[in-house]
Amino acid sequence: MTRAMATSPCRSITLFLILLWGSTILFLSSSAELQRFTHPAKSDGSLSLLAVGDWGRRGTYNQSQVAYQMGRIGEELDIDFVISVGDNFYESGLTGVNDTAFIESFSNIYTAKSLQKQWYSVLGNHDYRGNAVAQLDPVLQILDNRWLCMRSFMVDAEFAHFFFVDTTPFVEKYWTHPKDNHYDWREVAPREEYIKGVLEDLDSALKESMATWKIVIGHHTIRSVSDHGDTIELVNLLLPVLKAYGVDLYINGHDHCLEHIRSTDSPIQFLTSGGGSKAWRGIFTPTTEKLQFFHDGQGFISLHLTKTDAEVVFYDVFGSILHRWNMNKLLHSFM
């Protein structure tokens, strides 16, 4: 399969450390700048991928059925990679690198040939309730070399740049009112300093990006009509950065449903793909943004890109197409 290659961070540096992450060489900056991975597009100038979130339940709650349809659609589209938008392992992440949940919820579930591609993953709030550092450990790539999970990083796919953002530390209630949950804040605390660094690194990376398509991925919603609704910390802190640099898509999970919401004051399309397993919350809250599509159930999305065109398709647990959105950079978006 095509392996992602890590290149230097977004800004020039004078000191770096070379490490081996599975079979991938990482060039780590001495600063905290976003790590950049290179994933080339196809020779025909296209790029295809799937995005799924909130999935890791050892195949239950229709996780296996969603995985099967992902494999089928992945083969049809000849996908280049898969994005996981977090909450990778329920209920409380992994206990460590030897936790059998990694094999039982990931390797043994996403077995289709088309899914034997690089998986780029971020952490969700449930992942932070366990040993969050374990999911970042390169040891997991020895168990399954598809796996790549980091807190925040970017993927350079030529005409499309993907910016992965660690959103869980932004949410204040996880720090102040964790209820009965324990959050693994190692390498994150203190919160304010960490968030400041994440936003500065993202700002720098977006500023330097000359890609046609700028796509940001995070676990938490910015806009949503489902159970969790808008994440106010992201609305206040992250959204202004996305608007400032003309981000096209924000892809998230957290709400266990499928959504497409169109911003009323920017080009941003908010896409929720949190239907990887347990769903059907039965909650709908109206939004002041432009709701294009909502499915309170399981499923996933695909994204097909060229230098001029983008197509997003939403699929349900049966692999049926529920919603399709297209955009042409030379013309305009249309349903």
Side-chain angles (χ1 to χ4, degrees):
M1 69 178 180
T2 300
R3 301 295 300 167
M5 294 304 297
T7 60
S8 59
C10 305
R11 288 169 284 186
S12 61
I13 60 174
T14 57
L15 176 65
F16 58 86
L17 175 65
I18 301 178
L19 297 176
L20 186 65
W21 182 303
S23 59
T24 301
I25 294 177
L26 303 185
F27 294 82
L28 301 182
S29 166
S30 58
S31 69
E33 296 167 357
L34 287 186
Q35 177 65 42
R36 181 196 298 257
F37 294 87
T38 299
H39 199 121
K42 295 185 182 72
S43 58
D44 66 358
S46 69
L47 186 75
S48 296
L49 60 104
L50 303 180
V52 65
D54 305 85
W55 42 267
R57 298 181 186 273
R58 293 180 167 87
T60 63
Y61 292 98
N62 286 339
Q63 183 194 358
S64 293
Q65 287 83 346
V66 173
Y68 174 81
Q69 296 300 337
M70 288 175 62
R72 184 177 67 83
I73 300 301
E75 183 176 0
E76 290 181 5
L77 298 179
D78 187 21
I79 61 169
D80 297 282
F81 56 86
V82 180
I83 289 174
S84 172
V85 296
D87 276 4
N88 306 315
F89 303 99
Y90 285 95
E91 283 287 328
S92 299
L94 298 179
T95 59
V97 296
N98 295 319
D99 192 335
T100 59
F102 180 75
I103 298 297
E104 294 168 354
S105 292
F106 177 59
S107 301
N108 290 352
I109 303 299
Y110 302 100
T111 57
K113 182 179 179 181
S114 67
L115 303 182
Q116 306 309 303
K117 304 290 177 69
Q118 186 73 64
W119 282 58
Y120 296 108
S121 307
V122 291
L123 298 171
N125 55 297
H126 281 268
D127 300 311
Y128 265 98
R129 294 178 186 176
N131 186 336
V133 176
Q135 291 196 45
L136 314 178
D137 197 316
V139 169
L140 292 184
Q141 281 207 337
I142 298 174
L143 299 176
D144 194 318
N145 63 8
R146 295 175 293 173
W147 184 256
L148 195 158
C149 183
M150 301 182 75
R151 295 191 194 275
S152 296
F153 61 101
M154 70 171 291
V155 174
D156 181 343
E158 300 178 19
F159 52 83
H161 285 173
F162 298 81
F163 305 87
F164 294 75
V165 180
D166 184 19
T167 60
T168 299
F170 282 75
V171 182
E172 188 172 7
K173 69 180 181 180
Y174 299 149
W175 298 79
T176 59
H177 297 86
K179 298 181 180 180
D180 295 328
N181 301 307
H182 168 77
Y183 289 87
D184 184 3
W185 298 129
R186 287 177 295 167
E187 303 175 3
V188 174
R191 174 176 176 267
E192 292 77 11
E193 182 178 334
Y194 181 78
I195 292 173
K196 180 176 181 290
V198 169
L199 292 174
E200 288 177 350
D201 295 341
L202 178 63
D203 185 281
S204 177
L206 284 169
K207 184 177 182 179
E208 292 187 4
S209 175
M210 300 300 291
T212 302
W213 303 102
K214 297 182 180 67
I215 300 163
V216 175
I217 296 95
H219 175 65
H220 289 78
T221 61
I222 293 182
R223 301 296 188 189
S224 174
V225 298
S226 192
D227 186 20
H228 294 102
D230 297 353
T231 304
I232 189 63
E233 294 90 346
L234 298 188
V235 172
N236 292 336
L237 298 173
L238 181 60
L239 183 55
V241 179
L242 308 192
K243 289 181 177 180
Y245 294 106
V247 167
D248 300 287
L249 307 176
Y250 177 75
I251 306 176
N252 62 271
H254 198 44
D255 268 332
H256 297 183
C257 62
L258 304 175
E259 299 179 89
H260 175 196
I261 297 175
R262 182 178 177 183
S263 173
T264 57
D265 59 359
S266 77
I268 301 173
Q269 310 292 323
F270 302 102
L271 310 177
T272 296
S273 184
S277 59
K278 189 177 182 180
W280 307 108
R281 294 293 180 88
I283 295 175
F284 178 85
T285 304
T287 177
T288 57
E289 305 294 310
K290 296 181 179 179
L291 179 63
Q292 306 294 300
F293 165 75
F294 172 64
H295 174 62
D296 186 22
Q298 293 133 342
F300 58 97
I301 69 173
S302 69
L303 175 60
H304 180 77
L305 298 169
T306 68
K307 291 182 179 179
T308 57
D309 294 281
E311 180 177 67
V312 177
V313 181
F314 289 76
Y315 305 87
D316 67 11
V317 66
F318 305 108
S320 301
I321 295 176
L322 301 177
H323 175 67
R324 189 191 304 266
W325 175 83
N326 297 87
M327 179 176 180
N328 183 296
K329 281 283 186 173
L330 301 180
L331 298 174
H332 52 79
S333 63
F334 56 94
M335 294 299 296

